Amino acid sequence: QVQLVESGGGLVLAGGSLRLSCAASGRTFSIYDMGWFRQPPGKEREFVAAIPRGGGSTDYADSVKGRFTISRDNAKITVYLQMNSLKPEDTAVYYCAASRMDYTTRRISDYDYWGQGTQVTVSS
């Protein structure tokens, strides 16, 4: 079992940056692909980014490509989401999640463990 705790959210002006962190418990972190998702106010949860268990080839939603970067440090059992050039439409609760699938996936149902979320608010 993996427990995930996000941090780093907050209020930022449009054009600013934030770095989210997701700390995992357990020594099996390295066997999971990791993903970031977000849920804007009044909308459904959506995929943001994913990174495979060994790092390497990452995947991004078109809406964040070129602005967000996902990374992981298996030694620190932490995954990060660097968010630059933030826009008001990036406002959402951001969640990290862990997947045991054999391939990097965008599907919410493929993720087995979820954090509690961290609020990101971007003001114009």
Side-chain angles (χ1 to χ4, degrees), residues 6 11 14 16 23-24 28-29 37 39 48 53 59 64 77 80 83 85 91 93 97-98 103 124:
E6 302 96 337
L11 174 64
T28 58
F29 175 75
F37 291 78
Q39 188 162 13
V48 175
R53 57 210 64 188
D59 185 28
V64 307
I77 54 174
Y80 305 96
M83 306 187 295
S85 302
T91 295
V93 178
Y103 50 87
S124 56

Side-chain angles (χ1 to χ4, degrees), residues 1-3 24-32 74 77:
Q1 184 138 358
V2 176
Q3 292 185 323
S25 66
R27 292 178 289 178
T28 58
F29 175 75
S30 62
I31 70 172
Y32 293 94
N74 286 347
I77 54 174

Side-chain angles (χ1 to χ4, degrees), residues 4 32-37 47-52 59 70 95-101 103-114:
L4 304 172
Y32 293 94
D33 288 0
M34 298 298 296
W36 284 98
F37 291 78
F47 169 79
V48 175
I51 186 167
D59 185 28
I70 188 172
Y95 300 88
C96 70
S99 169
R100 291 176 292 181
M101 300 297 289
Y103 50 87
T104 305
T105 177
R106 298 185 173 198
R107 296 203 312 184
I108 292 174
S109 60
D110 286 340
Y111 286 81
D112 305 285
Y113 303 105
W114 293 82

Side-chain angles (χ1 to χ4, degrees), residues 24-87:
S25 66
R27 292 178 289 178
T28 58
F29 175 75
S30 62
I31 70 172
Y32 293 94
D33 288 0
M34 298 298 296
W36 284 98
F37 291 78
R38 67 186 182 187
Q39 188 162 13
K43 297 183 179 180
E44 294 186 350
R45 195 170 300 191
E46 62 185 22
F47 169 79
V48 175
I51 186 167
R53 57 210 64 188
S57 182
T58 52
D59 185 28
Y60 296 94
D62 288 345
S63 59
V64 307
K65 199 172 293 184
R67 300 187 298 122
F68 290 12
T69 303
I70 188 172
S71 61
R72 67 190 293 163
D73 185 334
N74 286 347
K76 295 183 179 179
I77 54 174
T78 301
V79 62
Y80 305 96
L81 185 69
Q82 178 67 44
M83 306 187 295
N84 299 328
S85 302
L86 282 161
K87 305 175 182 180

